[in-house]
Amino acid sequence: MPPSLSSRVTSLQPSVTVACMNRAMALKAAGKDVLSFAAGEPDFDTPDPIKQAAIGALQAGQTKYMPTLGDPAARSAIAEKLVNENGIAGLTGNHVGISAGAKHALFGLMQCLFDQPKAGEAQRELLLPVPAWVSYAPLAELAGAKVVEIPTTPEGGFKVTPAQLKAAIGPKSRALILNSPSNPTGAMYSEAELRALAKVIAETESVAPDLAVITDEIYEKIVYAGVPHFSIGSVPEIAERVVTVNGLSKAFAMTGWRVGYSACPGEFGLRLMKGLATIQGQMTTNITSFVYPAIRVALGEGAADVERMRAAFAGRARLITERLQAIPNLEVTSPQGAFYAFPDVSQVFGMVTPNGTPIGSALDFADALLDESLMAVVPGEDFGGCGGNHIRISFACSEAQINKGMDRLAAFVDGLR
Ligand code: PMP
Ligand code: GLU
């Protein structure tokens, strides 16, 4: 008998976003005219000054191991950004850890916050407003968490209310995830809404003294609906239990570089970073050494490029929303940030394609759209909650591709009977 694999890995839910992205790439490589709206990554190239900083460091011989959580200068540059741009007081480089992408940061943070439950002990909970990005729940479960979904709706703007949060918080609560702007819904919380959630967290401290807030702000720069991005980590009453996660992937078009970071002020922040350093010290050590100067250049000099890309995403958001609204049987809300449209396709459940394929779910819809119309999107089931009625369409692509894709989608929906 060949060796078996651990149940940890065989029971782990694979990332559907990564799977869809890979599937579309493979079909394209095989010469198929696939239009991919699956990948959650900017189509832009990394701005040149950022590339030059890495090239310079590589040529200067910055090719050795470095401190596990990052070059002190890069950690300080991130702390400075979070203090000045996000209003998170009291952060120093020592409160910041650099990881190989925000996903890696989240992996490490979950490992630091959760334990595998011991026999007879209650499992600690991750409170997760859903629909939510596909990786939060598996990363938490891998660390021993029980995921408690808090359902949101299109009518409620896909946002958790203070009353819902209050009802969800209990003695077993260990972490709450917030993600504004949101992948996959494009929803954003206003400052007032985040302050109201912060108030609930502060008021329930005696119920859940161990509750940490993980706020994933990776799309903070991709906003276009007049709602300014706000960091809940800047609210003093709860600041020292808020871990802000971010990275360079989306804002600076650097998905392949693998740079993410997390930060938390105060004494807990220092302990958390020590924990993260222990995990990463047994896992990856530092990220690629010659990337550190590029982080500093991106954060220090990247604003004009970020704005150029943001403006492009704003135009694409308008275009795709208009085109989707014109397709009968789809319900779409306007995204406010990130680069995803998240239409409800459930009105066509029960119909069949011209090839006779029944559409009973978002997964069926996405599969048939790829097979019969060569358009790749992500089915919404794995985002949780009402996500099963939706598909996610990444519009991080040209307006020409958006128009071509929307023609295919409209024809596909029109062909259903
Ligand atoms: N958080 C969210 C909400 C995301 O959409 C992504 C996309 N990959 C990540 C985290 C992880 O990004 P990365 O690992 O590239 O920094
Ligand atoms: N975050 C992107 C997405 O949601 C990239 C893939 C992933 O890491 O999930 O599509």
Side-chain angles (χ1 to χ4, degrees):
M1 262 242 296
S4 59
L5 296 179
S6 69
S7 58
R8 183 185 310 110
V9 77
T10 51
S11 64
L12 182 64
Q13 176 73 8
S15 165
V16 69
T17 47
V18 171
C20 288
M21 208 159 73
N22 289 343
R23 197 166 156 205
M25 273 193 281
L27 284 169
K28 268 193 195 167
K32 295 259 199 253
D33 171 33
V34 171
L35 290 178
S36 180
F37 293 84
E41 70 175 345
D43 53 326
F44 300 105
D45 194 5
T46 303
D48 200 52
I50 302 176
K51 286 184 181 173
Q52 291 308 324
I55 292 167
L58 183 57
Q59 283 175 337
Q62 190 162 320
T63 56
K64 305 290 191 220
Y65 289 132
M66 292 189 69
T68 303
L69 288 189
D71 165 29
R75 291 173 78 188
S76 296
I78 292 167
E80 215 171 287
K81 176 249 183 273
L82 291 169
V83 171
N84 297 335
E85 286 184 16
N86 303 86
I88 305 171
L91 277 182
T92 69
N94 292 332
H95 298 97
V96 172
I98 302 178
S99 306
K103 194 184 276 181
H104 181 221
L106 287 161
F107 175 92
L109 292 169
M110 297 299 181
Q111 294 293 325
C112 290
L113 292 174
F114 288 97
D115 278 306
Q116 295 297 339
K118 297 188 186 75
E121 235 180 44
Q123 215 175 356
R124 305 303 299 277
E125 294 173 349
L126 175 81
L127 307 181
L128 183 64
V130 287
W133 179 48
V134 293
S135 289
Y136 298 129
L139 291 176
E141 283 164 352
L142 201 57
K146 175 179 173 201
V147 174
V148 176
E149 294 192 345
I150 309 178
T152 71
T153 61
E155 299 73 37
F158 296 110
K159 289 184 271 198
V160 62
T161 64
Q164 276 182 303
L165 181 60
K166 193 167 178 188
I169 291 177
K172 288 181 278 179
S173 308
R174 183 70 174 99
L176 163 72
I177 296 241
L178 293 173
N179 172 221
S180 172
S182 155
N183 171 7
T185 67
M188 284 184 74
Y189 289 86
S190 68
E191 175 175 343
E193 286 165 341
L194 286 169
R195 286 191 185 280
L197 296 181
K199 191 160 173 271
V200 170
I201 294 159
E203 286 171 358
T204 49
E205 191 172 345
S206 57
V207 180
D210 230 10
L211 179 68
V213 180
I214 298 177
T215 169
D216 179 348
E217 304 187 1
I218 198 153
Y219 295 101
E220 69 165 333
K221 299 293 184 192
I222 304 172
V223 301
Y224 37 74
V227 182
H229 173 76
F230 181 75
S231 292
I232 193 166
S234 68
V235 180
E237 290 75 19
I238 61 162
E240 295 199 4
R241 50 165 84 212
V242 177
V243 189
T244 302
V245 174
N246 205 328
L248 272 50
S249 287
K250 316 290 173 171
F252 301 96
M254 290 173 70
T255 46
W257 291 64
R258 313 308 302 128
V259 183
Y261 57 84
S262 56
C264 178
E267 184 272 333
F268 169 62
L270 292 177
R271 266 191 296 128
L272 183 64
M273 288 305 133
K274 214 168 152 199
L276 193 63
T278 307
I279 297 274
Q280 292 190 186
Q282 294 290 24
M283 196 180 182
T284 46
T285 319
N286 57 288
I287 66 160
T288 308
S289 305
F290 50 84
V291 164
Y292 291 118
I295 298 176
R296 283 189 282 141
V297 168
L299 296 179
E301 301 169 29
D305 284 307
V306 169
E307 173 52 26
R308 170 178 55 81
M309 294 187 271
R310 188 206 64 79
F313 286 124
R316 296 163 178 187
R318 266 195 306 275
L319 172 65
I320 199 163
T321 306
E322 269 170 34
R323 293 285 323 252
L324 285 168
Q325 280 168 344
I327 302 178
N329 286 334
L330 300 193
E331 287 297 326
V332 65
T333 46
S334 305
Q336 299 174 300
F339 37 64
Y340 306 104
F342 198 55
D344 180 331
V345 296
S346 62
Q347 284 177 44
V348 307
F349 292 176
M351 296 189 182
V352 292
T353 70
N355 291 1
T357 310
I359 306 293
S361 65
L363 183 59
D364 290 346
F365 188 101
D367 278 348
L369 186 63
L370 183 59
D371 290 341
E372 300 181 23
S373 301
L374 294 177
M375 175 171 169
V377 300
V378 177
E381 284 88 346
D382 286 8
F383 297 104
C386 68
N389 289 337
H390 294 252
I391 56 168
R392 191 193 78 174
I393 308 176
S394 164
F395 55 82
C397 57
S398 68
E399 296 202 354
Q401 179 174 322
I402 292 173
N403 277 319
K404 220 168 146 187
M406 290 305 107
D407 291 344
R408 285 190 195 181
L409 180 63
F412 175 82
V413 173
D414 190 47
L416 299 174
R417 289 291 172 265

Short mmCIF file of all heavy atoms in Angstrom, two decimals, residues 17-18 21 40-41 99-106 132-136 139 177-184 216-219 245-250 254-261 338-340 383 392, ligand 1:
data_model
loop_
_atom_site.label_atom_id
_atom_site.label_comp_id
_atom_site.label_asym_id
_atom_site.label_seq_id
_atom_site.Cartn_x
_atom_site.Cartn_y
_atom_site.Cartn_z
N THR A 17 -10.78 29.91 -5.55
CA THR A 17 -10.31 31.04 -6.37
C THR A 17 -9.02 30.65 -7.09
O THR A 17 -8.86 30.91 -8.28
CB THR A 17 -10.08 32.29 -5.51
OG1 THR A 17 -9.32 31.92 -4.35
CG2 THR A 17 -11.38 32.91 -5.07
N VAL A 18 -8.13 30.02 -6.35
CA VAL A 18 -6.86 29.57 -6.96
C VAL A 18 -7.15 28.49 -8.01
O VAL A 18 -6.58 28.50 -9.10
CB VAL A 18 -5.88 29.08 -5.87
CG1 VAL A 18 -4.67 28.42 -6.48
CG2 VAL A 18 -5.45 30.25 -4.98
N MET A 21 -8.59 30.06 -11.17
CA MET A 21 -7.52 30.82 -11.83
C MET A 21 -6.62 29.85 -12.61
O MET A 21 -6.32 30.07 -13.77
CB MET A 21 -6.72 31.47 -10.69
CG MET A 21 -6.02 32.73 -11.01
SD MET A 21 -5.71 33.60 -9.43
CE MET A 21 -4.42 32.64 -8.70
N GLY A 40 -8.19 37.04 -8.94
CA GLY A 40 -8.25 38.26 -8.15
C GLY A 40 -6.90 38.94 -8.16
O GLY A 40 -6.27 39.07 -7.11
N GLU A 41 -6.45 39.34 -9.34
CA GLU A 41 -5.17 40.06 -9.38
C GLU A 41 -5.19 41.13 -10.45
O GLU A 41 -5.74 40.93 -11.54
CB GLU A 41 -3.99 39.10 -9.58
CG GLU A 41 -3.88 38.47 -10.94
CD GLU A 41 -2.60 37.63 -11.06
OE1 GLU A 41 -1.70 37.77 -10.23
OE2 GLU A 41 -2.53 36.85 -12.02
N SER A 99 5.26 39.01 5.89
CA SER A 99 5.06 37.61 5.54
C SER A 99 5.04 37.47 4.01
O SER A 99 5.00 38.46 3.29
CB SER A 99 3.72 37.12 6.12
OG SER A 99 3.65 37.38 7.51
N ALA A 100 5.03 36.22 3.55
CA ALA A 100 5.04 35.96 2.10
C ALA A 100 3.62 36.07 1.55
O ALA A 100 3.01 35.10 1.11
CB ALA A 100 5.63 34.59 1.82
N GLY A 101 3.07 37.28 1.59
CA GLY A 101 1.70 37.53 1.16
C GLY A 101 0.78 37.65 2.37
O GLY A 101 1.09 37.14 3.47
N ALA A 102 -0.35 38.33 2.17
CA ALA A 102 -1.32 38.47 3.25
C ALA A 102 -1.87 37.10 3.64
O ALA A 102 -2.22 36.87 4.80
CB ALA A 102 -2.46 39.40 2.82
N LYS A 103 -1.93 36.20 2.68
CA LYS A 103 -2.45 34.86 2.99
C LYS A 103 -1.54 34.16 3.99
O LYS A 103 -2.01 33.53 4.95
CB LYS A 103 -2.55 34.04 1.70
CG LYS A 103 -3.37 32.78 1.82
CD LYS A 103 -3.35 31.98 0.53
CE LYS A 103 -4.38 32.45 -0.46
NZ LYS A 103 -4.38 31.66 -1.71
N HIS A 104 -0.25 34.30 3.80
CA HIS A 104 0.72 33.72 4.73
C HIS A 104 0.63 34.40 6.10
O HIS A 104 0.70 33.74 7.15
CB HIS A 104 2.12 33.86 4.13
CG HIS A 104 3.23 33.29 4.94
ND1 HIS A 104 4.45 33.93 5.08
CD2 HIS A 104 3.33 32.15 5.66
CE1 HIS A 104 5.24 33.19 5.85
NE2 HIS A 104 4.60 32.11 6.21
N ALA A 105 0.43 35.73 6.08
CA ALA A 105 0.26 36.45 7.36
C ALA A 105 -0.96 35.89 8.10
O ALA A 105 -0.90 35.60 9.30
CB ALA A 105 0.08 37.95 7.10
N LEU A 106 -2.05 35.69 7.37
CA LEU A 106 -3.28 35.18 7.99
C LEU A 106 -3.07 33.76 8.52
O LEU A 106 -3.55 33.41 9.59
CB LEU A 106 -4.44 35.22 6.98
CG LEU A 106 -4.97 36.62 6.69
CD1 LEU A 106 -5.76 36.65 5.38
CD2 LEU A 106 -5.83 37.13 7.84
N ALA A 132 -17.57 35.72 2.44
CA ALA A 132 -16.22 36.18 2.75
C ALA A 132 -15.22 35.45 1.86
O ALA A 132 -15.51 34.36 1.35
CB ALA A 132 -15.88 35.90 4.21
N TRP A 133 -14.05 36.04 1.73
CA TRP A 133 -12.99 35.43 0.93
C TRP A 133 -12.79 33.97 1.36
O TRP A 133 -12.83 33.67 2.57
CB TRP A 133 -11.70 36.24 1.10
CG TRP A 133 -10.52 35.70 0.35
CD1 TRP A 133 -10.49 35.31 -0.96
CD2 TRP A 133 -9.20 35.51 0.87
NE1 TRP A 133 -9.22 34.89 -1.29
CE2 TRP A 133 -8.40 35.00 -0.19
CE3 TRP A 133 -8.61 35.72 2.11
CZ2 TRP A 133 -7.07 34.70 -0.03
CZ3 TRP A 133 -7.27 35.42 2.26
CH2 TRP A 133 -6.51 34.92 1.19
N VAL A 134 -12.54 33.12 0.37
CA VAL A 134 -12.57 31.66 0.59
C VAL A 134 -11.52 31.12 1.55
O VAL A 134 -11.68 30.00 2.05
CB VAL A 134 -12.43 30.91 -0.75
CG1 VAL A 134 -13.64 31.14 -1.63
CG2 VAL A 134 -11.15 31.31 -1.50
N SER A 135 -10.46 31.85 1.80
CA SER A 135 -9.37 31.26 2.59
C SER A 135 -9.49 31.45 4.10
O SER A 135 -8.83 30.74 4.86
CB SER A 135 -8.01 31.80 2.12
OG SER A 135 -7.73 31.28 0.84
N TYR A 136 -10.32 32.41 4.53
CA TYR A 136 -10.37 32.67 5.99
C TYR A 136 -10.76 31.42 6.78
O TYR A 136 -10.11 31.05 7.75
CB TYR A 136 -11.36 33.78 6.33
CG TYR A 136 -11.06 35.13 5.73
CD1 TYR A 136 -12.04 35.83 5.03
CD2 TYR A 136 -9.81 35.74 5.88
CE1 TYR A 136 -11.79 37.09 4.49
CE2 TYR A 136 -9.55 36.99 5.34
CZ TYR A 136 -10.55 37.65 4.64
OH TYR A 136 -10.30 38.89 4.11
N LEU A 139 -8.18 28.46 6.78
CA LEU A 139 -6.97 28.79 7.55
C LEU A 139 -7.26 28.73 9.05
O LEU A 139 -6.42 28.27 9.84
CB LEU A 139 -6.45 30.19 7.18
CG LEU A 139 -5.86 30.34 5.78
CD1 LEU A 139 -5.47 31.80 5.52
CD2 LEU A 139 -4.63 29.44 5.60
N ILE A 177 -13.25 38.44 11.88
CA ILE A 177 -12.61 38.91 10.64
C ILE A 177 -13.47 40.00 10.01
O ILE A 177 -14.69 39.83 9.88
CB ILE A 177 -12.46 37.77 9.61
CG1 ILE A 177 -11.51 36.71 10.14
CG2 ILE A 177 -12.03 38.32 8.25
CD1 ILE A 177 -10.27 36.46 9.36
N LEU A 178 -12.84 41.10 9.66
CA LEU A 178 -13.49 42.13 8.86
C LEU A 178 -12.66 42.32 7.60
O LEU A 178 -11.43 42.18 7.63
CB LEU A 178 -13.58 43.45 9.65
CG LEU A 178 -14.50 43.42 10.87
CD1 LEU A 178 -14.37 44.73 11.66
CD2 LEU A 178 -15.96 43.21 10.45
N ASN A 179 -13.34 42.62 6.48
CA ASN A 179 -12.63 42.78 5.21
C ASN A 179 -13.34 43.86 4.40
O ASN A 179 -14.35 43.60 3.76
CB ASN A 179 -12.62 41.41 4.48
CG ASN A 179 -12.09 41.49 3.06
OD1 ASN A 179 -12.63 40.86 2.15
ND2 ASN A 179 -11.03 42.23 2.85
N SER A 180 -12.82 45.07 4.51
CA SER A 180 -13.42 46.20 3.80
C SER A 180 -12.32 46.97 3.09
O SER A 180 -11.36 47.37 3.75
CB SER A 180 -14.14 47.11 4.80
OG SER A 180 -14.58 48.30 4.20
N PRO A 181 -12.43 47.18 1.77
CA PRO A 181 -13.40 46.66 0.83
C PRO A 181 -13.36 45.12 0.78
O PRO A 181 -12.32 44.54 1.01
CB PRO A 181 -12.96 47.23 -0.52
CG PRO A 181 -12.11 48.42 -0.19
CD PRO A 181 -11.47 48.11 1.12
N SER A 182 -14.52 44.55 0.43
CA SER A 182 -14.65 43.10 0.54
C SER A 182 -14.41 42.36 -0.77
O SER A 182 -14.89 42.76 -1.82
CB SER A 182 -16.06 42.77 1.04
OG SER A 182 -16.45 41.46 0.64
N ASN A 183 -13.69 41.28 -0.66
CA ASN A 183 -13.66 40.23 -1.66
C ASN A 183 -14.56 39.13 -1.09
O ASN A 183 -14.25 38.63 -0.01
CB ASN A 183 -12.22 39.72 -1.82
CG ASN A 183 -12.12 38.48 -2.70
OD1 ASN A 183 -13.08 38.06 -3.31
ND2 ASN A 183 -10.92 37.90 -2.74
N PRO A 184 -15.66 38.78 -1.67
CA PRO A 184 -16.07 38.97 -3.06
C PRO A 184 -17.14 40.03 -3.31
O PRO A 184 -17.50 40.24 -4.47
CB PRO A 184 -16.71 37.61 -3.36
CG PRO A 184 -17.44 37.28 -2.08
CD PRO A 184 -16.55 37.82 -0.98
N ASP A 216 -8.70 42.76 7.40
CA ASP A 216 -7.96 42.54 6.16
C ASP A 216 -8.25 43.73 5.23
O ASP A 216 -9.35 43.85 4.70
CB ASP A 216 -8.42 41.21 5.55
CG ASP A 216 -7.72 40.90 4.23
OD1 ASP A 216 -7.06 41.80 3.65
OD2 ASP A 216 -7.86 39.76 3.75
N GLU A 217 -7.25 44.59 5.08
CA GLU A 217 -7.46 45.84 4.35
C GLU A 217 -6.69 45.85 3.04
O GLU A 217 -6.25 46.89 2.56
CB GLU A 217 -7.10 47.01 5.28
CG GLU A 217 -7.92 46.93 6.57
CD GLU A 217 -7.80 48.11 7.52
OE1 GLU A 217 -7.08 49.09 7.22
OE2 GLU A 217 -8.44 48.04 8.59
N ILE A 218 -6.55 44.69 2.44
CA ILE A 218 -5.70 44.56 1.26
C ILE A 218 -6.22 45.34 0.05
O ILE A 218 -5.47 45.69 -0.84
CB ILE A 218 -5.45 43.07 0.93
CG1 ILE A 218 -4.25 42.91 0.02
CG2 ILE A 218 -6.67 42.39 0.35
CD1 ILE A 218 -3.53 41.59 0.14
N TYR A 219 -7.54 45.64 0.05
CA TYR A 219 -8.11 46.42 -1.07
C TYR A 219 -8.30 47.89 -0.71
O TYR A 219 -9.05 48.60 -1.37
CB TYR A 219 -9.45 45.80 -1.50
CG TYR A 219 -9.29 44.42 -2.09
CD1 TYR A 219 -9.57 43.28 -1.33
CD2 TYR A 219 -8.82 44.23 -3.38
CE1 TYR A 219 -9.40 42.00 -1.86
CE2 TYR A 219 -8.65 42.96 -3.92
CZ TYR A 219 -8.94 41.85 -3.15
OH TYR A 219 -8.76 40.59 -3.67
N VAL A 245 -4.20 43.64 8.69
CA VAL A 245 -3.49 42.83 7.69
C VAL A 245 -3.57 43.56 6.36
O VAL A 245 -4.62 44.10 6.00
CB VAL A 245 -4.15 41.43 7.57
CG1 VAL A 245 -3.52 40.63 6.44
CG2 VAL A 245 -4.05 40.67 8.88
N ASN A 246 -2.47 43.58 5.66
CA ASN A 246 -2.45 44.25 4.37
C ASN A 246 -1.30 43.66 3.56
O ASN A 246 -0.64 42.71 4.02
CB ASN A 246 -2.30 45.77 4.57
CG ASN A 246 -2.85 46.59 3.40
OD1 ASN A 246 -2.81 46.15 2.24
ND2 ASN A 246 -3.35 47.77 3.70
N GLY A 247 -1.07 44.20 2.39
CA GLY A 247 0.02 43.68 1.57
C GLY A 247 0.16 44.50 0.32
O GLY A 247 -0.63 45.44 0.10
N LEU A 248 1.12 44.15 -0.49
CA LEU A 248 1.41 44.95 -1.68
C LEU A 248 0.73 44.39 -2.93
O LEU A 248 0.71 45.05 -3.97
CB LEU A 248 2.94 45.04 -1.90
CG LEU A 248 3.65 46.19 -1.18
CD1 LEU A 248 3.29 46.28 0.29
CD2 LEU A 248 5.16 46.12 -1.35
N SER A 249 0.16 43.18 -2.83
CA SER A 249 -0.35 42.48 -4.01
C SER A 249 -1.30 43.31 -4.86
O SER A 249 -1.14 43.38 -6.07
CB SER A 249 -1.09 41.21 -3.58
OG SER A 249 -0.18 40.23 -3.15
N LYS A 250 -2.31 43.89 -4.21
CA LYS A 250 -3.39 44.50 -4.99
C LYS A 250 -3.10 45.96 -5.31
O LYS A 250 -3.22 46.38 -6.45
CB LYS A 250 -4.71 44.39 -4.22
CG LYS A 250 -4.98 43.05 -3.58
CD LYS A 250 -5.28 41.93 -4.56
CE LYS A 250 -5.34 40.60 -3.81
NZ LYS A 250 -5.82 39.49 -4.57
N MET A 254 1.38 43.63 -7.37
CA MET A 254 2.57 42.84 -7.00
C MET A 254 2.19 41.44 -6.49
O MET A 254 2.83 40.91 -5.58
CB MET A 254 3.38 43.60 -5.93
CG MET A 254 4.05 44.85 -6.48
SD MET A 254 4.83 45.84 -5.19
CE MET A 254 6.21 44.79 -4.72
N THR A 255 1.18 40.84 -7.09
CA THR A 255 0.70 39.55 -6.58
C THR A 255 1.80 38.48 -6.56
O THR A 255 1.90 37.70 -5.62
CB THR A 255 -0.49 39.04 -7.41
OG1 THR A 255 -0.17 39.18 -8.79
CG2 THR A 255 -1.75 39.82 -7.11
N GLY A 256 2.62 38.46 -7.61
CA GLY A 256 3.63 37.41 -7.70
C GLY A 256 4.84 37.63 -6.79
O GLY A 256 5.64 36.71 -6.59
N TRP A 257 4.96 38.81 -6.23
CA TRP A 257 6.13 39.10 -5.37
C TRP A 257 6.00 38.43 -4.02
O TRP A 257 6.99 38.15 -3.36
CB TRP A 257 6.24 40.62 -5.14
CG TRP A 257 6.62 41.44 -6.33
CD1 TRP A 257 5.91 41.60 -7.48
CD2 TRP A 257 7.79 42.24 -6.45
NE1 TRP A 257 6.57 42.47 -8.30
CE2 TRP A 257 7.73 42.87 -7.70
CE3 TRP A 257 8.88 42.51 -5.62
CZ2 TRP A 257 8.72 43.74 -8.15
CZ3 TRP A 257 9.87 43.38 -6.06
CH2 TRP A 257 9.79 43.97 -7.32
N ARG A 258 4.78 38.26 -3.56
CA ARG A 258 4.45 37.67 -2.27
C ARG A 258 4.94 38.54 -1.10
O ARG A 258 5.88 38.18 -0.38
CB ARG A 258 4.97 36.22 -2.14
CG ARG A 258 4.69 35.31 -3.31
CD ARG A 258 3.23 35.26 -3.74
NE ARG A 258 2.33 34.85 -2.69
CZ ARG A 258 1.23 35.55 -2.35
NH1 ARG A 258 0.90 36.67 -2.99
NH2 ARG A 258 0.45 35.12 -1.40
N VAL A 259 4.29 39.67 -0.94
CA VAL A 259 4.58 40.55 0.20
C VAL A 259 3.27 40.87 0.92
O VAL A 259 2.37 41.49 0.33
CB VAL A 259 5.23 41.89 -0.22
CG1 VAL A 259 5.58 42.70 1.03
CG2 VAL A 259 6.46 41.67 -1.08
N GLY A 260 3.18 40.46 2.17
CA GLY A 260 2.04 40.83 3.00
C GLY A 260 2.57 41.22 4.36
O GLY A 260 3.73 40.96 4.69
N TYR A 261 1.71 41.87 5.14
CA TYR A 261 2.17 42.22 6.48
C TYR A 261 0.99 42.29 7.45
O TYR A 261 -0.17 42.36 7.03
CB TYR A 261 2.96 43.55 6.48
CG TYR A 261 2.24 44.75 5.93
CD1 TYR A 261 1.38 45.51 6.72
CD2 TYR A 261 2.43 45.17 4.61
CE1 TYR A 261 0.73 46.62 6.22
CE2 TYR A 261 1.78 46.28 4.10
CZ TYR A 261 0.94 47.00 4.90
OH TYR A 261 0.28 48.11 4.41
N ALA A 338 -12.52 47.20 -4.16
CA ALA A 338 -11.94 45.96 -4.72
C ALA A 338 -12.28 45.87 -6.21
O ALA A 338 -12.71 46.87 -6.80
CB ALA A 338 -12.38 44.72 -3.94
N PHE A 339 -12.12 44.71 -6.82
CA PHE A 339 -12.41 44.64 -8.26
C PHE A 339 -13.23 43.41 -8.61
O PHE A 339 -12.89 42.65 -9.50
CB PHE A 339 -11.12 44.72 -9.10
CG PHE A 339 -9.92 44.01 -8.52
CD1 PHE A 339 -9.90 42.64 -8.35
CD2 PHE A 339 -8.77 44.74 -8.19
CE1 PHE A 339 -8.80 41.99 -7.83
CE2 PHE A 339 -7.65 44.10 -7.66
CZ PHE A 339 -7.67 42.72 -7.48
N TYR A 340 -14.34 43.27 -7.86
CA TYR A 340 -15.22 42.13 -8.09
C TYR A 340 -16.67 42.59 -8.22
O TYR A 340 -17.12 43.41 -7.43
CB TYR A 340 -15.14 41.14 -6.92
CG TYR A 340 -13.72 40.70 -6.60
CD1 TYR A 340 -13.05 41.22 -5.49
CD2 TYR A 340 -13.06 39.80 -7.43
CE1 TYR A 340 -11.74 40.83 -5.21
CE2 TYR A 340 -11.76 39.41 -7.15
CZ TYR A 340 -11.11 39.92 -6.04
OH TYR A 340 -9.82 39.54 -5.75
N PHE A 383 -17.71 31.09 -0.74
CA PHE A 383 -17.63 32.34 0.01
C PHE A 383 -18.58 32.30 1.23
O PHE A 383 -18.53 33.18 2.08
CB PHE A 383 -17.98 33.54 -0.88
CG PHE A 383 -17.01 33.73 -2.04
CD1 PHE A 383 -17.36 33.37 -3.32
CD2 PHE A 383 -15.74 34.25 -1.82
CE1 PHE A 383 -16.48 33.53 -4.39
CE2 PHE A 383 -14.85 34.42 -2.87
CZ PHE A 383 -15.22 34.06 -4.17
N ARG A 392 -18.75 35.24 -8.80
CA ARG A 392 -17.83 36.38 -8.67
C ARG A 392 -17.12 36.61 -9.99
O ARG A 392 -16.52 35.69 -10.55
CB ARG A 392 -16.80 36.12 -7.57
CG ARG A 392 -16.01 37.37 -7.23
CD ARG A 392 -14.79 37.06 -6.38
NE ARG A 392 -13.70 36.52 -7.18
CZ ARG A 392 -12.48 36.26 -6.72
NH1 ARG A 392 -12.20 36.48 -5.44
NH2 ARG A 392 -11.54 35.77 -7.50
N1 PMP B 1 -7.16 38.86 1.50
C1 PMP B 1 -8.04 39.02 0.51
C2 PMP B 1 -9.38 39.55 0.83
C3 PMP B 1 -7.71 38.66 -0.79
O1 PMP B 1 -8.60 38.82 -1.77
C4 PMP B 1 -6.43 38.15 -1.06
C5 PMP B 1 -6.15 37.79 -2.48
N2 PMP B 1 -5.23 37.01 -2.80
C6 PMP B 1 -5.54 38.02 0.02
C7 PMP B 1 -5.94 38.38 1.28
C8 PMP B 1 -4.16 37.45 -0.11
O2 PMP B 1 -3.33 38.23 -0.88
P1 PMP B 1 -1.77 37.97 -0.93
O3 PMP B 1 -1.49 36.67 -0.30
O4 PMP B 1 -1.44 38.01 -2.38
O5 PMP B 1 -1.14 39.11 -0.20
#
